[in-house]
Amino acid sequence: MAKELAAQAKEAFVDDDFDVAVDLYSKAIDLDPSCADFFADRAQAYIKLQNFTEAVADAKKAIELDPSLTKAYLRKGTACMKLEEYRTAKTALEKGASIAPSESKFKKLIDECNLRIAEEEKDLVQPPVKVDQTPVPAEPAKPKFRHEYYQKPEEVVVTVFAKGIPKQNVNIDFGEQILSVVIDVPGEEAYHLQPRLFGKIVPKKCIYQVMSTKIEIRLAKAEIITWTSLEHGKGPAVLPKPDVSTVRPAYPSSKKVKDWDKIEAEVKKQEKDEKLEGDAALNKFFREIYSNADEDMRRAMSKSFVESNGTVLSTDWKEVGAKKIESTPPDGMELKKWEI
């Protein structure tokens, strides 16, 4: 059945119906997720649809399943070149060429990668050119979740303010110069943040954490330079001064300085004001009473709760301190003593 679906997908691909081809390959993969050819062929369909990030992911999976599958390296190299990740593309293409040295496509694409890499290095050496920024670009549509970033000499910290998102609904991937954040909650429109980053990063050193009110992503810089923007092409890189020790994060000079202490206070206020139900709400209420109480109130709460076997909670030390607190079960319930 899976092979039949794959055959139908190839027919759709030949007819330039790439959306149908992707759908059919996906169904074939569901039936046989260990077939590397299915992933490599779906990657090619994604390339035709200009979904290059998905194409790279499929090509990687195909290589994991079958490291000798030359077309998977070709797909990965092609997609990475479209994303302007020329060094990653060159590595994949060179691996494919070592497996199939007679395939001329690899040499042609490797030569193109070398040319692009040389141009990038040349651009880094040249001084930045002043650009007339008089025209103000139109603001993009407001995203579902707000995101901010700040940076240190060795890392960039991106925060997506998405509240109450389960960890299993968050998918984050790192590339040589790509960050991919996908939040997909069933029944809601998926959120995508997939910028080409201002500078190179080290994917193996990048980490993220899903919290109750936000998602915090730490990007390890490949070079110690100051990013003037989160996204590529929005300003020249700035080398840090060698005699300056950075205490607080360096913020982008092209944007208004953010009051991060105020933002952190707002996040804490959101956590405090979070509406809980049932036992969680009751526990939060008792914790707030205890944290705001003085020493006598805390002694009264501890003594009354322990001596009454959890049936009485008092904050009056004058009343509680002078006597032993007896267990008082709720109305309609009977207290029983268990013998051990």
Side-chain angles (χ1 to χ4, degrees), residues 9-22:
K10 288 183 180 179
E11 292 178 3
F13 184 90
V14 172
D15 293 337
D16 292 340
D17 202 344
F18 305 120
D19 285 311
V20 173
V22 167

Side-chain angles (χ1 to χ4, degrees), residues 75-87:
R75 306 284 192 266
K76 181 180 178 181
T78 302
C80 286
M81 289 179 69
K82 293 294 185 180
L83 292 169
E84 299 183 13
E85 291 195 15
Y86 299 113
R87 288 177 174 79

Side-chain angles (χ1 to χ4, degrees), residues 12-72:
F13 184 90
V14 172
D15 293 337
D16 292 340
D17 202 344
F18 305 120
D19 285 311
V20 173
V22 167
D23 183 59
L24 290 170
Y25 279 127
S26 298
K27 291 178 180 178
I29 288 170
D30 289 340
L31 295 174
D32 186 4
S34 62
C35 181
D37 284 291
F38 294 167
F39 284 98
D41 291 340
R42 189 173 68 174
Q44 179 69 348
Y46 274 136
I47 291 173
K48 292 293 185 180
L49 292 170
Q50 298 186 1
N51 294 338
F52 304 121
T53 303
E54 290 84 351
V56 171
D58 270 3
K60 285 182 178 179
K61 184 63 177 179
I63 292 170
E64 289 177 9
L65 293 170
D66 185 359
S68 64
L69 189 62
T70 55
K71 65 180 177 181

Side-chain angles (χ1 to χ4, degrees), residues 120-167:
E120 283 185 348
E121 293 174 348
K122 183 179 178 181
D123 290 340
L124 289 175
V125 174
Q126 292 179 345
V129 179
K130 290 186 177 181
V131 179
D132 184 9
Q133 298 181 348
T134 303
V136 179
E139 293 186 1
K142 187 176 180 181
K144 184 176 181 180
F145 299 116
R146 179 171 60 90
H147 73 274
E148 298 282 356
Y149 85 98
Y150 68 88
Q151 62 183 300
K152 301 177 183 179
E154 72 284 352
E155 69 175 0
V156 175
V157 182
V158 181
T159 303
V160 179
F161 294 93
K163 184 177 179 181
I165 303 297
K167 187 175 182 180

Side-chain angles (χ1 to χ4, degrees), residues 72 79 175 226 238 254 267 284 299 315 326:
T226 299
V238 179
S254 60
V267 172
K284 179 183 177 184
R299 290 166 62 192
T315 59
E326 299 295 334

Side-chain angles (χ1 to χ4, degrees), residues 261-278:
D261 292 334
K262 182 179 179 181
I263 292 175
E264 183 178 2
E266 290 177 356
V267 172
K268 289 182 177 179
K269 184 177 183 300
Q270 290 177 5
E271 292 176 343
K272 182 178 179 181
D273 296 340
E274 187 175 6
K275 301 298 183 182
L276 301 175
E277 298 178 356

